[in-house]
Structure formats: C-alpha cells, structure tokens
Amino acid sequence: MKFYALALCAVIVSGCQTKQIQEMSYSEKQKLASEIVQRCVDQGVKSGTAEMAACTQSEVNRENYTRQKNEIQFRRSMAAIGSGLSNASQSYSAAARSPVMTPTTVTCRRNPAPTGYTSMSCY
C-alpha cells in the first residue's frame, strides 16, 4: 500500500510541468517567457544585452529539458502503477480461484483402549 501512495505522490509531483512548450497556448507561452526573463534578471543580467539573449536561450533549453524529463518520469510512474495494479489483480484472481479447502486423504485405525473407550489414530 505504501508503494501505491509513494507512486501517486511521484506522479503528482512529476506531472506538474509535463506540458511541452510547443503544446502551450499563446498566453501560456507569454507567461513562461516573462518568467524566464525574470530568472535572468534575478541572476543580475541586464535587459537588452547579448548576455540576456544567451541567458534566456539557456533558460529556455533548461525549461525544455526539465519538461521532457518530467514527462518521461510521469509516463514511467503511470506504467509502474499500471503494472502494480495488474499484478495485484492477478494475485487476487488467483486467490479467488484457489479452493479454500483442499481434499486430504486420512487413514485411521482403531486402537483398543484398556478403559473400554475406543480411540483412533489418524495420520
């Protein structure tokens, strides 16, 4: 059960940024672009310089890589969950098919008891 909870958390966390930039709407791209420019500004890069162009290109590349990595991780997590659920289903099915009581052959012999009671030994 802990595995499933952990896998679910991994899926939730890794699924945060799986949408590729090419799949974004215009407004989503504009928002991302302003966030990327802000990252460069926060690093001390001045606007309108060649350094800003290099910084933004580097940040775009990093963003693409991170999103691709998150998408791969998300797909692997989903596959692991699917596999785990399939294995659990097979285990439950096998348990349901197995008989609860198995036939057993028992051999018994009567032992003469000195007190008048009859006893049996079974093996």
Side-chain angles (χ1 to χ4, degrees):
M1 190 64 170
K2 289 180 184 180
F3 168 76
Y4 294 114
L6 183 61
L8 181 60
C9 289
V11 168
I12 291 169
V13 171
S14 68
C16 291
Q17 293 184 346
T18 60
K19 190 174 192 179
Q20 301 302 306
I21 294 174
Q22 301 86 344
E23 299 170 349
M24 290 181 165
S25 68
Y26 178 77
S27 60
E28 290 172 323
K29 287 180 183 178
Q30 290 298 319
K31 182 179 178 206
L32 180 60
S34 65
E35 289 172 6
I36 288 173
V37 168
Q38 188 60 47
R39 287 182 209 163
C40 292
V41 169
D42 291 345
Q43 295 174 28
V45 179
K46 294 187 180 185
S47 185
T49 63
E51 187 181 11
M52 178 59 87
C55 180
T56 54
Q57 184 59 54
S58 176
E59 289 295 321
V60 167
N61 292 342
R62 186 171 70 94
E63 188 72 29
N64 270 327
Y65 172 78
T66 301
R67 288 175 181 271
Q68 288 173 359
K69 184 181 75 165
N70 287 347
E71 183 177 9
I72 290 167
Q73 190 174 15
F74 176 77
R75 289 181 185 198
R76 285 182 182 159
S77 297
M78 292 303 289
I81 289 172
S83 176
L85 291 175
S86 175
N87 291 342
S89 173
Q90 289 172 3
S91 296
Y92 292 138
S93 295
R97 286 191 306 269
S98 68
V100 175
M101 299 175 71
T102 57
T104 304
T105 303
V106 177
T107 304
C108 296
R109 67 183 166 100
R110 190 172 278 177
N111 298 328
T115 58
Y117 294 103
T118 304
S119 66
M120 298 186 93
S121 297
C122 299
Y123 50 93

